[in-house]
Amino acid sequence: YDLWRTLRDFGPSLKGVELSDLLKRKSGHRGVSYGSLDDFFTAELEAEARRNWDGNLRPFVPELSACDDVLAELKQLLPDFFPDLIDRR
C-alpha cells in the first residue's frame, strides 16, 4: 500500500530517482530474492495481501481502495521506477 501510494501521489517528482538500490538493500535485509517485478506478484503474495488488506489497513485508512485495484495499478507504476526488473520474456 505504501509503495503504491507514494508512486501514485509523488511518482512524477520521483522520475529519475534510482530506487533499485533501495530495493536491493531492503530485500537483502529481509532475506528476499527476486529476478523480476513479477516475483513480487506471485499468486501466494497477492493472496496474502488480500487476506490482510481490510484487517490491517482499513483501521488506519478508512477510504481504502480495493486490494485488487491497488495491485493492478502498482503493476503499471513499478516498471517506470525499476526498468532493470522488467521481465521481457
Side-chain angles (χ1 to χ4, degrees), residues 18-32:
E18 181 56 51
L19 297 178
S20 293
D21 186 54
L22 177 64
L23 180 62
K24 286 177 191 172
R25 287 185 287 147
K26 183 173 182 171
S27 296
H29 176 72
R30 291 186 168 197
V32 175

Side-chain angles (χ1 to χ4, degrees), residues 3-48:
L3 181 58
W4 165 75
R5 187 69 189 256
T6 299
L7 296 180
R8 187 194 72 173
D9 293 353
F10 303 104
S13 64
L14 293 173
K15 294 288 184 185
V17 173
E18 181 56 51
L19 297 178
S20 293
D21 186 54
L22 177 64
L23 180 62
K24 286 177 191 172
R25 287 185 287 147
K26 183 173 182 171
S27 296
H29 176 72
R30 291 186 168 197
V32 175
S33 62
Y34 57 89
S36 74
L37 290 174
D38 292 336
D39 293 338
F40 295 100
F41 295 96
T42 64
E44 294 84 12
L45 290 174
E46 287 187 9
E48 183 176 341

